[in-house]
Amino acid sequence: MIYNKVKPLTLAVAVAASALSGQAMAGAFQLNEQGVSGQGTSNAGRASTVNDASIVFGNPAGMSFLDRAQITAGAAFLTVDTDIKNADGSATGSNEGDMVPNSVIPFGFYVQPINDNLHFGLGVYAPFGLITDYEGQFQGRFFGDRSKVEVVTVQPTISVKFSEQFSAGFGLTYNQIDGELTANTQGGPVGLFDAATGAPLGGNGIAGEGDVDIEGDDNAWGYTLGAMYKPWEHTTFGFAYHSEVEYDLEGKARFTNVRGAQAGPFPGTIAAGTRTQAADAALSITLPAVWDFSATHQINDRWTVMAGAAMTNWSEFDELRVENDVREIVEAQNYEDSWQYSVGTTYQLNPQWVLRTGLAYDETPIKDEYRSVRVPSDDRIIFSLGAGWTPMPDLTVDVAYSYIHESDAELSQEEENRGTYEADFENTAQAFGAQVTYRF
């Protein structure tokens, strides 16, 4: 039926490639790679620790505690390993796993003091995004094949210092999203078929597999705000909020050898030899807001400890509603709000070197009954190590390593005209980060 053949469109530009980010540093398709000094503590204290210009993202209020102009730029390299076990389904095919290619996520930030109480900042980073690419004959290919989602954000920001203890910040975010999806579909038509029922009207019946190729993009505005409070000289509390962003993506859906698409000389039929059709498509989605709370305490000249809790409002992501030239599609998602908890510490070895480590527990927003081959992730634990080297007052180089271990993700999918597929996904990932900060 048309519904079952077009349904992959609902995942093209929203949750299509969720596997990577689910295995990286945050739940569903959220990314946490916006700074390497924070990565070294598994982002514990992200909203309350001021290390460098990456605080533009972590908490815009923190810019007020930087006394010099500075630029921070770097990237994280992600490598993901997935093993698929106990696979079974109605289709034949392979289960190689390792469908996530190695990825590089860059970022850059700039902070400029205007006067003692006012700072300007600018950030460019990726808050959401990933890619998956299963092998051509993946057994679960009717539920998902190749997917790609990219979100890039530009954030101009202002902070105000009200006193030596309290500051606040605000920024606008300009966000661009691009998505692409390909998926296999079961046998397409040769001859004439009724588009509403799929009943043969003549011809040879069903031939091999078909496929769907989707692309879409949009631009949208959001905002971020934060506050930082130092009730005592060595203790800082921070709060940051990143708003939801509403997108109205528009693009094209291309159907090849797909039963039920409309083409040919008569409405509701596909003509023999005409197996490809392009249709306009639109999808409205809201990417969730994030609330980040953290605290940092300097024990002495060498040791500092920090902790954080961040909630992502995934519960707003309850359905995907797609409009296209063939038929409107509605698909339930029913995500839950999720939390990430983190603790970390730094040790000032000497004036040039600081060492970092951290541990985080990240909940998945995906309910068991809605887990799919496109989002084969579960709760995860993140362990990180990092170091900062300051050979001169104007320059700091930071490096970090994170190991992500995820609970086995069990999924079982069944759908008319797609068949069945079930498997256990064993996911791990490693993230290597490096950045440079220059002060002037």
Side-chain angles (χ1 to χ4, degrees):
M1 304 296 289
I2 296 176
Y3 175 84
N4 293 303
K5 298 306 180 183
V6 184
K7 191 174 181 180
L9 176 59
T10 62
L11 299 171
V13 287
V15 299
S18 297
L20 171 60
S21 49
Q23 295 166 25
M25 295 291 286
F29 48 100
Q30 182 183 4
L31 294 174
N32 265 349
E33 288 73 28
Q34 295 91 22
V36 173
S37 54
Q39 180 190 339
T41 60
S42 292
N43 290 310
R46 166 173 267 185
S48 56
T49 305
V50 182
N51 292 312
D52 47 55
S54 65
I55 197 66
V56 169
F57 174 84
N59 185 346
M63 297 190 304
S64 293
F65 296 98
L66 295 174
D67 58 2
R68 303 173 63 188
Q70 54 192 272
I71 295 175
T72 297
F77 173 77
L78 300 178
T79 177
V80 181
D81 181 53
T82 300
D83 291 327
I84 302 176
K85 303 290 183 65
N86 305 318
D88 191 21
S90 56
T92 59
S94 58
N95 293 277
E96 295 178 2
D98 294 334
M99 63 283 187
V100 181
N102 296 336
S103 301
V104 176
I105 304 174
F107 55 84
F109 301 94
Y110 169 69
V111 173
Q112 174 65 59
I114 298 173
N115 55 46
D116 290 342
N117 298 317
L118 189 65
H119 285 58
F120 170 79
L122 182 68
V124 181
Y125 55 88
F128 298 90
L130 50 102
I131 183 172
T132 57
D133 192 1
Y134 288 93
E135 69 271 21
Q137 289 301 306
F138 170 53
Q139 189 176 9
R141 61 193 177 276
F142 300 124
F143 295 94
D145 185 11
R146 171 180 164 81
S147 310
K148 182 179 181 180
V149 173
E150 294 179 346
V151 178
V152 177
T153 296
V154 179
Q155 178 190 318
T157 313
I158 290 290
S159 71
V160 179
K161 180 187 285 188
F162 294 95
S163 69
E164 293 301 319
Q165 289 75 40
F166 180 75
S167 66
F170 176 82
L172 293 174
T173 63
Y174 177 75
N175 309 274
Q176 179 176 337
I177 184 171
D178 291 277
E180 180 185 2
L181 167 71
T182 65
N184 285 58
T185 59
Q186 298 196 54
V190 176
L192 300 178
F193 283 80
D194 184 271
T197 66
L201 302 177
N204 298 324
I206 301 299
E209 296 181 6
D211 63 76
V212 180
D213 190 341
I214 313 293
E215 293 184 1
D217 58 61
D218 190 31
N219 302 304
W221 290 90
Y223 66 92
T224 182
L225 55 85
M228 193 170 288
Y229 178 52
K230 298 183 68 172
W232 307 286
E233 181 181 359
H234 301 297
T235 303
T236 304
F237 296 97
F239 160 73
Y241 174 77
H242 303 272
S243 77
E244 65 183 31
V245 179
E246 298 179 356
Y247 297 96
D248 295 312
L249 291 94
E250 296 182 352
K252 289 288 185 180
R254 183 181 179 87
F255 305 90
T256 302
N257 200 32
V258 175
R259 184 184 197 176
Q262 297 182 16
F266 306 106
T269 66
I270 296 182
T274 304
R275 301 185 183 180
T276 300
Q277 181 189 7
D280 293 330
L283 170 63
S284 296
I285 62 171
T286 299
L287 295 187
V290 180
W291 305 72
D292 198 342
F293 308 87
S294 68
T296 301
H297 177 67
Q298 184 179 358
I299 298 175
N300 52 42
D301 291 341
R302 292 186 180 272
W303 287 100
T304 300
V305 294
M306 59 279 295
M311 184 185 73
T312 305
N313 287 132
W314 281 114
S315 59
E316 298 181 3
F317 194 53
D318 58 351
E319 70 173 15
L320 294 171
R321 183 177 297 270
V322 178
E323 296 180 357
N324 57 78
D325 294 343
V326 180
R327 186 173 180 179
E328 183 181 78
I329 309 299
V330 178
E331 180 176 333
Q333 297 298 312
N334 295 322
Y335 275 25
E336 300 176 310
D337 291 341
S338 62
W339 284 87
Q340 183 180 94
Y341 307 95
S342 55
V343 293
T345 186
T346 65
Y347 179 72
Q348 192 71 47
L349 184 65
N350 55 45
Q352 288 76 41
W353 284 94
V354 60
L355 307 179
R356 306 181 177 101
T357 188
L359 185 69
Y361 174 74
D362 192 19
E363 297 177 340
T364 180
I366 304 163
K367 298 178 182 179
D368 292 345
E369 60 267 34
Y370 290 95
R371 186 174 293 115
S372 73
V373 298
R374 296 198 181 278
V375 195
S377 63
D378 209 319
D379 299 338
R380 62 194 63 83
I381 294 176
I382 305 163
F383 172 71
S384 301
L385 294 170
W389 177 48
T390 305
M392 59 187 69
D394 295 340
L395 179 68
T396 298
V397 178
D398 293 286
V399 294
Y401 166 80
S402 298
Y403 177 78
I404 301 97
H405 176 78
E406 190 172 282
S407 300
D408 291 352
E410 300 178 2
L411 65 87
S412 179
Q413 296 184 259
E414 182 176 357
E415 186 176 322
E416 184 182 359
N417 291 334
R418 288 196 189 188
T420 62
Y421 181 73
E422 60 182 38
D424 299 332
F425 283 71
E426 299 178 359
N427 304 315
T428 60
Q430 299 180 80
F432 303 85
Q435 72 176 33
V436 175
T437 298
Y438 181 73
R439 305 169 186 86
F440 51 92

